[in-house]
Amino acid sequence: MPVKDYSDVALGDLISLAGRTAVITGGAAGIGKSIARRLAEAGAAVMIGDLDEGKAQSVAANLAETSVPHAGVKVDVRDHASIAALGDFAIARTGRLDIWINNAGIFPAGKALELPDDDWSRVLDINLRGTFFGGREAALRMQGQGVIVNLASTNSFNTGVSAIHYVASKHGVVGVTKSLAVELAGKGIRVLAVAPTMTTSDGVMQMRKLGPEVAEGLDNFAHSLPLGRAGVPDDVARVVLFLVSDLAAFMTGAVVLVDGGELAK
Ligand code: NAD
């Protein structure tokens, strides 16, 4: 593969996504919403796919650079056809697809011996199956270059929470990331993952409402991290922006921790 020399490219041009089209699943809330905002700020046209179509449209309407054709559409990442339709929508709207973020995910608790079969299937379908089919549909539509970023977790490497289905799904996301990275490298497509620790997304803020003991447990966990706090969604979004930009042109197959030092302990 020819070496592209970026050494004379100005920093602003390296981080710019002007003229590129990005798709993000689960971008109507939490970490995904922050990623959508950073991608738009860098100049990309951002297509937000989410179960909540109203919220996806409202987030898209409030993104930076309203001259760029951002959009919010309904997608259910459990449904392969729905993911394919999201890819088709991005192409129909902008004529290209450069960036795909597999962000949609759920994180219910669930101990192995008590776990209903359906809970296992639902978490694996959204977090792992959705990530694979998202990556595949993205790659089928990218023309000669592209970047796919998956949302892994520190629970891709440890168990941390009592949620065997979540832990299994996020370990699987690492496998999908590495396998796709190797298979797609020859097509000029980079595939990466970010692995956040506990991050104060909408979903986590909802969890806190389950009761004072849950909130206290989350606070204790945050304080136990080397950096002494939970992540905020934009902590993850800034790293994703770096990974999809040309600053990271020689990175593929990596899983980047955004964990306040959790896994260094
Ligand atoms: P969140 O609950 O705040 O937002 C998730 C979004 O995904 C929502 O807008 C929801 O409507 C959407 N969604 C859910 N199911 C969907 C489906 N089937 N199809 C399409 N959209 C769907 O979540 P978050 O905390 O921002 O998490 C985002 C990602 O980051 C997830 O993959 C999660 O596992 C991962 N992650 C989160 C944390 C954390 O502490 N927040 C830590 C590590 C990894």
Side-chain angles (χ1 to χ4, degrees), residues 137-148:
E137 293 305 321
L140 287 168
R141 290 166 178 77
M142 289 172 168
Q143 296 293 324
Q145 62 162 26
V147 192
I148 297 164

Side-chain angles (χ1 to χ4, degrees), residues 10-23 34-46 65 68-70 94 96-101 145-147 149 190 237-249:
L11 189 56
D13 292 332
L14 281 174
I15 200 88
S16 171
L17 304 178
R20 299 185 201 179
T21 297
V23 166
S34 289
I35 294 171
R37 287 174 54 186
R38 286 293 180 191
L39 296 176
E41 198 183 350
V46 182
E65 291 300 337
V68 175
H70 307 301
T94 66
R96 57 188 295 151
L97 179 60
D98 306 277
I99 296 162
W100 185 290
I101 316 292
Q145 62 162 26
V147 192
V149 177
R190 301 187 292 113
R238 294 191 309 276
V239 175
V240 171
L241 175 59
F242 162 72
L243 292 175
V244 301
S245 78
D246 291 344
L247 285 167

Side-chain angles (χ1 to χ4, degrees), residues 24 26 32 35-36 66 68 95 124 126 128 130 154 157 164-165 175 186 189 192-193 232 257:
I24 178 161
I35 294 171
T66 45
V68 175
L124 271 289
I126 295 176
L128 183 56
T154 45
F157 303 100
I164 189 168
H165 43 0
I189 299 174
L192 294 143
V232 295
L257 298 171

